[in-house]
Amino acid sequence: MPVIETVGLTKYYGKTKGIENVNLQVQEGEIFGFIGPNGAGKSTTIRTLLNFIFPTAGEARVLGLDVVRQSREIRAQVGYLAGEAGYYDDMKVKDLLAYAARFYKQDCASRIRELVDIFDLDVMKPVHSLSLGNKKKVGIVLSLLHQPQLLILDEPTSGLDPLMQMRFFEVLQEENSRGTTIFFSSHVLSEVQRLCHRVAIIKDGQILKIEEMEQLRSNQFRKVRIAIDSDEFNGNAIPGVIHAARENGIWHLLFKGDINQLLRFLSEYKLVDLWLEEPTLEEIFLHYYEKEGAE
């Protein structure tokens, strides 16, 4: 039985589309990536799964339970981290964690102490005094303190410094090794590539593809910038180039393919400089997935 299953899930805000005909299956024990540009429909999907908003059409089940009729039972077994969360600002962190723990029929004290230590969280501070990163750490602890069967994470690393991101990923992998299913929403491709087993790609409220991570890695994209001493060079002529443009004498390419083939092509020219970077998801969608979705 899938841990998350949606069939034709659709949400409109009046005449404005949030998501349309979203069909997903997330299996038990997966780390499932949900990726797309900002505004693609990731948060709308998550909020519908948690019954924070009602679907316009379609249906969804979480842990075998209907998201509309059985939302209370679902929330007792799910850990949720919102992209932007508001807390009781006047409470101290320790009081907020203790208050949240009372919603669950189990003793969470030991797990809270463990997580507070991992994330180096000062529990004596009032919530309103915390930095964005420390507020995000509070949210992480709140999502994990009851050892949920399913973790739903919406842009979970925003505000975390690199060290805390590394600790967070380690905790997620430990949770997954214990059997927790993780639904990981992000617009940062490198995070999803690092953690996830499968990914769904969403844009403009619709699923474009669902892929195994190994397949996504084999289709790895690179952003290439080339400063070259040649008027005859044409970036569009390179095999594997999806998009090419010249700006202020620099060629900007979106490349998908064998990097060795790219270097062999460039070896015929006198290069002034060469940069290889990971493109943003927005760049990939703009120049590749947009075309695929249209097809």
Side-chain angles (χ1 to χ4, degrees), residues 163-215:
L163 175 61
M164 284 300 147
Q165 286 187 25
M166 186 179 303
R167 290 186 188 178
F168 177 56
F169 293 149
E170 289 170 355
V171 168
L172 290 184
Q173 288 166 331
E174 289 171 5
E175 289 293 309
N176 183 244
S177 70
R178 289 197 285 260
T180 304
T181 304
I182 299 173
F183 187 81
F184 189 100
S185 168
S186 179
H187 70 280
V188 182
L189 182 60
S190 58
E191 293 180 352
V192 176
Q193 287 178 324
R194 174 176 178 173
L195 287 171
C196 298
H197 305 138
R198 286 194 304 145
V199 294
I201 299 166
I202 186 170
K203 185 173 187 291
D204 295 332
Q206 295 180 300
I207 301 293
L208 299 183
K209 323 186 117 193
I210 298 176
E211 281 193 327
E212 300 284 338
M213 183 51 65
E214 288 304 317
Q215 182 65 30

Side-chain angles (χ1 to χ4, degrees), residues 97 104 160 205 247:
L97 297 177
Y104 305 104
L160 293 180
E247 183 179 339

Side-chain angles (χ1 to χ4, degrees), residues 1-283:
M1 179 183 68
V3 173
I4 296 175
E5 183 174 24
T6 70
V7 179
L9 192 63
T10 298
K11 175 63 182 178
Y12 270 79
Y13 302 95
K15 294 183 179 180
T16 303
K17 179 175 68 176
I19 55 173
E20 186 174 63
N21 199 34
V22 169
N23 298 298
L24 288 174
Q25 281 197 353
V26 179
Q27 303 301 326
E28 184 176 0
E30 276 195 293
I31 304 180
F32 189 92
F34 195 45
I35 62 176
N38 291 324
K42 302 188 298 296
S43 294
T44 296
T45 303
I46 287 172
R47 289 169 185 157
T48 307
L49 291 175
L50 293 170
N51 199 38
F52 296 153
I53 55 177
F54 290 100
T56 304
E59 59 185 49
R61 301 183 74 82
V62 172
L63 298 167
L65 303 170
D66 183 88
V67 298
V68 175
R69 297 194 306 272
Q70 297 169 293
S71 61
R72 180 176 294 181
E73 295 95 321
I74 289 170
R75 291 178 196 173
Q77 303 174 71
V78 172
Y80 169 57
L81 178 61
E84 296 180 7
Y87 305 116
Y88 296 106
D89 281 356
D90 291 334
M91 294 180 76
K92 289 183 178 179
V93 172
K94 69 180 183 66
D95 297 326
L96 176 62
L97 297 177
Y99 171 71
R102 290 200 292 271
F103 285 94
Y104 305 104
K105 297 177 181 179
Q106 63 192 83
D107 184 357
C108 302
S110 175
R111 183 58 171 159
I112 289 174
R113 288 193 297 270
E114 180 185 6
L115 291 167
V116 164
D117 183 59
I118 289 171
F119 292 106
D120 192 22
L121 192 58
D122 186 347
V123 298
M124 300 307 295
K125 286 187 175 181
V127 173
H128 69 77
S129 71
L130 299 179
S131 66
L132 175 62
N134 280 317
K135 284 184 178 179
K136 180 55 65 83
K137 289 191 285 184
V138 171
I140 291 170
V141 175
L142 288 170
S143 70
L144 291 167
L145 58 82
H146 58 300
Q147 298 178 303
Q149 294 184 44
L150 169 65
L151 266 175
I152 296 180
L153 309 171
D154 191 1
E155 302 286 356
T157 62
S158 61
L160 293 180
D161 64 44
L163 175 61
M164 284 300 147
Q165 286 187 25
M166 186 179 303
R167 290 186 188 178
F168 177 56
F169 293 149
E170 289 170 355
V171 168
L172 290 184
Q173 288 166 331
E174 289 171 5
E175 289 293 309
N176 183 244
S177 70
R178 289 197 285 260
T180 304
T181 304
I182 299 173
F183 187 81
F184 189 100
S185 168
S186 179
H187 70 280
V188 182
L189 182 60
S190 58
E191 293 180 352
V192 176
Q193 287 178 324
R194 174 176 178 173
L195 287 171
C196 298
H197 305 138
R198 286 194 304 145
V199 294
I201 299 166
I202 186 170
K203 185 173 187 291
D204 295 332
Q206 295 180 300
I207 301 293
L208 299 183
K209 323 186 117 193
I210 298 176
E211 281 193 327
E212 300 284 338
M213 183 51 65
E214 288 304 317
Q215 182 65 30
L216 189 65
R217 286 194 184 100
S218 70
N219 290 337
Q220 187 171 5
F221 293 83
R222 292 176 180 86
K223 186 165 61 174
V224 184
R225 289 182 292 148
I226 302 169
I228 196 163
D229 188 14
S230 173
D231 292 330
E232 298 178 359
F233 179 82
N234 182 0
N236 287 291
I238 302 174
V241 167
I242 294 165
H243 175 80
R246 191 177 186 186
E247 183 179 339
N248 298 324
I250 305 292
W251 279 93
H252 298 260
L253 314 177
L254 185 65
F255 176 79
K256 173 193 170 189
D258 184 349
I259 196 69
N260 296 293
Q261 187 176 8
L262 171 65
L263 294 175
R264 282 194 292 271
F265 186 95
L266 295 177
S267 68
E268 302 295 323
Y269 297 88
K270 182 180 178 181
L271 299 184
V272 176
D273 215 336
L274 174 67
W275 300 266
L276 295 175
E277 305 172 64
E278 182 186 76
T280 65
L281 274 174
E282 284 81 358
E283 288 167 319

